[in-house]
Amino acid sequence: MLNALFFSSLALYLLSVILYFTGMALKTKIIPRIVWFVFLAGFLLHTGYFLGRGMVAGRLPLSNQFEFAMSLSWGVGLIYIILRIKFKADWITAVALPSVFLILFYASFLPRDIKELMPALRSPWFGFHIGAAVVSYASFVLAGCAGIRYLLLLKKGEPEDGTHLRQIDSLSYRLIGLGMIMLTVVILSGSVWAEQAWSSFWSWDPKELWSLITWLVYAIYLHQRLRKKWRGKPMAIFSFVAVIIVLFTFIGVNTLLSGLHSYR
């Protein structure tokens, strides 16, 4: 049952991506509406999988690389839905839909076995710490998507001082602000948890180190934005490059570097 929910949601996400770009090529108005409902159907099944896995495991499904990737894809999808409904940000669909699909597609290659929590993870901090990481990374991913969209529209001739690009730039900044708040929560809560589990607030573990690097990179973004008044194209490029560091922190560190956070 769980596998059916997982792969059905993956298939619907793929279908929404194919339909979206087909609609762009054909320039029809009906297909984007169909895309929205197909995506929502996939997201509903994805939510069902998330809840079902949590019920079977008897905990939040956030304990290993597969569960975090699955949850990150869900988080990106949730924030995308909020942006569509609250801010009418239809423009982000072109990059948000592929992001949701690709993250879940990556998860499909990882072991999906449900295992008992490792002793170090059996803590009240478990859901709070990792849940904050999901929100943080999802915000950064969508900010990077907004940056890509900004650059594509700029290349097509959209005026940089036009309303559309200014809205994209502003929303990317807000997403990065949210991501930074949540990443700060991740680092602080992780330090307290680490002291309880390993008797040390900070051990220069690869995941800790790259989380700090990620935080510093986005701190530079905010500094340039607030103090240097940078806007537009430089910030769009920055948000795109920065999300590559986020993805390395998420995938590369767990795959290439072993440490205390190697929960695969």
Side-chain angles (χ1 to χ4, degrees):
M1 179 62 180
L2 286 179
N3 281 338
L5 285 173
F6 179 84
F7 286 106
S8 295
S9 63
L10 185 64
L12 286 173
Y13 285 154
L14 175 59
L15 179 60
S16 69
V17 172
I18 293 172
L19 285 174
Y20 178 80
F21 287 106
T22 300
M24 286 186 64
L26 297 177
K27 297 181 179 179
T28 63
K29 294 183 178 180
I30 187 63
I31 291 182
R33 297 177 187 175
I34 296 173
V35 168
W36 175 238
F37 288 109
V38 171
F39 177 82
L40 288 179
F43 185 79
L44 183 62
L45 293 180
H46 193 165
T47 303
Y49 178 81
F50 182 91
L51 295 175
R53 186 178 178 93
M55 291 175 64
V56 171
R59 54 171 173 76
L60 287 172
L62 299 169
S63 69
N64 54 39
Q65 186 77 345
F66 166 78
E67 291 182 345
F68 189 87
M70 180 271 298
S71 301
L72 177 59
S73 175
W74 184 86
V76 173
L78 177 62
I79 295 176
Y80 161 66
I81 290 171
I82 294 171
L83 294 178
R84 273 285 307 262
I85 295 174
K86 184 174 178 59
F87 298 101
K88 309 299 181 185
D90 297 351
W91 49 265
I92 204 170
T93 301
V95 279
L97 295 191
S99 297
V100 173
F101 167 72
L102 288 173
I103 296 171
L104 196 63
F105 183 65
Y106 161 73
S108 70
F109 289 96
L110 300 171
R112 296 188 301 278
D113 307 11
I114 297 176
K115 299 179 180 179
E116 291 289 330
L117 279 180
M118 298 178 66
L121 297 179
R122 295 170 188 167
S123 166
W125 290 104
F126 173 71
F128 183 74
H129 174 72
I130 305 177
V134 169
V135 176
S136 174
Y137 284 19
S139 299
F140 290 147
V141 166
L142 279 173
C145 289
I148 294 171
R149 185 64 175 162
Y150 186 102
L151 295 172
L152 290 174
L153 290 174
L154 190 63
K155 188 175 181 179
K156 287 183 177 180
E158 285 265 0
E160 196 160 7
D161 58 350
T163 302
H164 193 187
L165 290 189
R166 284 193 285 108
Q167 288 176 344
I168 296 176
D169 181 60
S170 175
L171 186 57
S172 178
Y173 165 60
R174 293 183 184 185
L175 285 167
I176 286 176
L178 173 62
M180 272 292 285
I181 292 171
M182 299 311 295
L183 184 57
T184 302
V185 170
V186 170
I187 293 174
L188 293 178
S189 61
S191 296
V192 175
W193 188 4
E195 196 281 330
Q196 294 175 354
W198 303 314
S199 302
S200 174
F201 286 104
W202 193 268
S203 57
W204 295 105
D205 176 77
K207 181 69 81 172
E208 293 174 350
L209 175 60
W210 277 94
S211 294
L212 178 60
I213 290 171
T214 302
W215 189 93
L216 290 173
V217 167
Y218 282 104
I220 293 171
Y221 172 97
L222 293 177
H223 175 270
Q224 297 300 102
R225 178 97 188 188
L226 298 173
R227 297 296 297 275
K228 302 296 185 180
K229 307 298 182 183
W230 282 19
R231 297 287 190 278
K233 185 177 179 180
M235 293 292 92
I237 295 172
F238 201 121
S239 65
F240 169 66
V241 173
V243 85
I244 296 174
I245 297 173
V246 171
L247 293 176
F248 180 80
T249 303
F250 161 47
I251 299 174
V253 171
N254 283 12
T255 304
L256 303 174
L257 305 173
S258 61
L260 295 171
H261 290 78
S262 298
Y263 305 122
R264 302 176 189 176

